[in-house]
Amino acid sequence: MRTSLKVTFAALSLIAAGTLVACSSGSKDSSDKATSVVIATDGATKPFTYSDSQGNLTGYDIEVARAVFKKLPQYKVKFQVTDFSGISPGIDSGRYQMGANDFGWEKSRAEKYYFSSPLSKSNNAVLVKSGTYKTLADLAGKSTVGNPASNYTKSIQDWNKANPDKEIKISYSADSTSINTRFTQVESGKIDFMLYDKISLESAVKEQGFDNLKIEDISMDTGDAEHDGYEYFLFGKDSQGKKLQKDVNGVLAKMQADGSLARISKKYLGGDFVPKAEMFK
């Protein structure tokens, strides 16, 4: 995940920690012989993964995963709801075989995990009350709060290390920090901005009604145009993860070509944010 953007406590209460939601298909015989895959998600990064009004796990990443594994009956899949910070360690230990949580690409992360083909493409953006910000340099001296496990927090840390005279003030949040808390902090002036992806920020502003806040695209200056703004599924970096990556990517390419990904994107993300066909080769 680029980070963990939390839904309200009331919505979170609908998801019991450790809840398993089955999404496999196929005959009983094929299921008996299928390879078990546990997909970890925090269920609280809307619109990519969240619980609906009935407490059912859903969201763009979740529904894409469900659609993919309907085409892969050799796998028996379950979703495990857990804290975002526990997803990567769980993959490391073999407890989970895949992560579905708006994961962005980051060099140190790529050294430990395999990534799927990109699922969606969003702009990097900041949520602010006032002011104009186009690059990280414009945020020098400004304050924010970040999840320690997120790509955006890492980007700010890297910026501060490389630019100690233009440091961005950052403190750290727990996995349980709600979306309302983060937005209210910006609204009240406790922090100056929230750095995230534009899709998620626009979805949250619309749902939570923070009409007095604005969203501005921002250049991260990462020097990594190949991955910047894309989000992915995550797999363990072992033989099982490699095979899973290959099988999942094969289905994703077909879904991109036949418009299936675009339909899911329009439903959950509010538009067609599916990457171009060449990104699935």
Side-chain angles (χ1 to χ4, degrees), residues 58-122:
T58 190
Y60 179 69
D61 284 14
I62 303 304
E63 299 307 328
V64 169
R66 286 186 172 128
V68 165
F69 284 101
K70 283 182 180 179
K71 305 290 187 181
L72 297 172
Q74 64 269 37
Y75 295 105
K76 183 179 180 181
V77 176
K78 293 182 178 180
F79 288 99
Q80 174 73 57
V81 177
T82 188
D83 286 340
F84 175 71
S85 61
I87 296 176
S88 294
I91 293 175
D92 294 343
S93 69
R95 183 179 181 185
Y96 315 131
Q97 287 69 52
M98 180 172 159
N101 218 103
D102 188 25
F103 280 103
W105 191 95
E106 196 271 321
K107 184 177 179 181
S108 62
R109 186 176 280 167
E111 292 173 352
K112 296 184 64 178
Y113 308 100
Y114 290 127
F115 288 79
S116 69
S117 298
L119 307 176
S120 69
K121 175 70 165 68
S122 179

Side-chain angles (χ1 to χ4, degrees), residues 124 136 155 219-225 227-228:
N124 296 313
L136 290 182
S155 293
S219 172
M220 297 287 288
D221 298 322
T222 62
D224 182 31
H227 302 100
D228 196 26

